Amino acid sequence: MGLHYSHHKHCLTHHQSPININTRTAKYNPSLKPLKFSYDPKTAKRIVNVGHCFNVEFEDICDKSVLSEGPLDGHYRLCQFHFHWGSSDRDGSEHNIDGHLYPAELHIVHWNSKKYTSFAEAAKHPDGVAVVGVFLKLGNTNPALQSIIENLDKVKTKGKACPFTEFHLNGLLPEDLNYWTYMGSLTTKPYFECVTWIILQEAITVSSQQLEQFRRLQCTSENENPSFILENHRPVQPLDHRVVYSSCP
Ligand code: SG6
Ligand code: ZN
């Protein structure tokens, strides 16, 4: 008798991110609550060039800036946000919507401070991390984004950081806070399956010139031959048996 390899294959779970979101098969879940963003501008700390993108870091030693409600149980503490973009304005987002890519995607990263004591610990658990994804579509210069972009000159090369305080992160959120949600992973190494993804349905705008500034950042250190961060988005992963829920019908 042969072994049932196909059975074995189905036992492995693959809850990786990003995914393509099919808006017609996403399931409306009336028990999903509206999201509650409580961000304190004072917790913004610094911008760091991490080589494959730049992170805007927040002080996360206490629950001053938190995300709660929505699909979440308890509150999740804000620790950083970053963007994914592409080598041209035609692609760049990680999540796809009905096979369509946006030119960029903002990820606002939070960790479960009710259950865990640090991001590193939280990332080892399926309920450890919550990431809010916001799509960027081509349009007018985004003023909230401009204050970040004006600082990118100071973090041109890998490893550089500059202070960045008093930032109103709410300015990067769209008006309509309806969302899709599903369980997935970090989109970079170590790809831990620890993320409750919350993808906002309404996009914010970015200008082509602003996207160009992202691509001027270098993935190389100061003393190396310059090479640029032209793109940093992971391709979509299989949905498998997962369900994507929508907060609105
Ligand atoms: C970016 O995404 C960040 C990096 C890491 C990664 O590359 O620069 O800090 O973030 C939370 C974390 O480890 C994965 O985060 S993501 O899944 O939201 N894209
Ligand atoms: Zn990301």
Side-chain angles (χ1 to χ4, degrees):
M1 276 275 132
L3 288 168
H4 294 275
Y5 288 111
S6 62
H7 173 74
H8 265 262
K9 205 173 118 197
H10 285 276
C11 285
L12 294 170
T13 56
H14 289 287
H15 289 181
Q16 287 290 300
S17 296
I19 56 163
N20 174 50
I21 295 176
N22 183 325
T23 59
R24 289 198 292 176
T25 56
K27 199 172 182 308
Y28 169 50
N29 182 348
S31 68
L32 283 172
K33 297 190 196 99
L35 292 164
K36 196 175 157 203
F37 294 92
S38 321
Y39 293 153
D40 177 353
K42 289 195 167 51
T43 60
K45 211 168 55 180
R46 56 175 205 157
I47 303 178
V48 193
N49 179 329
V50 290
H52 51 275
C53 75
F54 65 91
N55 289 357
V56 179
E57 297 179 342
F58 289 75
E59 187 68 74
D60 67 347
I61 48 167
C62 61
D63 284 332
K64 267 193 192 152
S65 288
V66 293
L67 170 67
S68 56
E69 312 265 323
L72 304 172
D73 190 18
H75 53 262
Y76 283 62
R77 195 179 289 176
L78 172 68
C79 60
Q80 55 115 320
F81 69 81
H82 60 267
F83 298 85
H84 298 267
W85 60 87
S87 52
S88 82
D89 295 351
R90 282 187 297 276
D91 61 26
S93 70
E94 295 210 299
H95 288 90
N96 292 15
I97 301 300
D98 296 326
H100 167 83
L101 277 92
Y102 285 88
E105 184 173 334
L106 159 65
H107 286 160
I108 311 173
V109 183
H110 316 75
W111 55 274
N112 188 339
S113 54
K114 196 181 111 183
K115 282 183 80 170
Y116 308 112
T117 56
S118 66
F119 175 84
E121 192 206 339
K124 293 174 189 152
H125 303 272
D127 62 352
V129 177
V131 184
V132 174
V134 186
F135 294 114
L136 279 68
K137 63 176 182 190
L138 275 190
N140 293 333
T141 299
N142 186 320
L145 203 53
Q146 201 51 29
S147 67
I148 299 165
I149 287 172
E150 278 162 11
N151 279 281
L152 292 185
D153 256 352
K154 299 175 196 152
V155 297
K156 269 222 142 345
T157 51
K158 183 182 174 181
K160 281 217 157 171
C162 73
F164 189 70
T165 50
E166 286 291 334
F167 182 69
H168 292 261
L169 184 44
N170 286 357
L172 286 176
L173 299 174
E175 219 173 271
D176 183 341
L177 296 176
N178 275 304
Y179 58 91
W180 295 289
T181 183
Y182 76 98
M183 300 304 285
S185 73
L186 299 175
T187 65
T188 62
K189 273 183 187 163
Y191 302 112
F192 288 156
E193 294 179 344
C194 61
V195 183
T196 301
W197 279 97
I198 299 166
I199 308 293
L200 299 189
Q201 296 180 3
E202 193 191 334
I204 59 171
T205 64
V206 64
S207 68
S208 199
Q209 290 85 343
Q210 289 183 311
L211 286 167
E212 201 48 57
Q213 300 302 314
F214 286 177
R215 298 185 200 108
R216 292 224 175 109
L217 287 169
Q218 296 173 22
C219 54
T220 42
S221 314
E222 212 166 24
N223 55 344
E224 291 176 301
N225 279 334
S227 181
F228 297 87
I229 312 173
L230 297 179
E231 58 179 326
N232 56 11
H233 56 115
R234 187 188 194 195
V236 290
Q237 306 295 309
L239 181 63
D240 244 20
H241 297 294
R242 287 175 290 179
V243 178
V244 177
Y245 293 99
S246 176
S247 67
C248 64

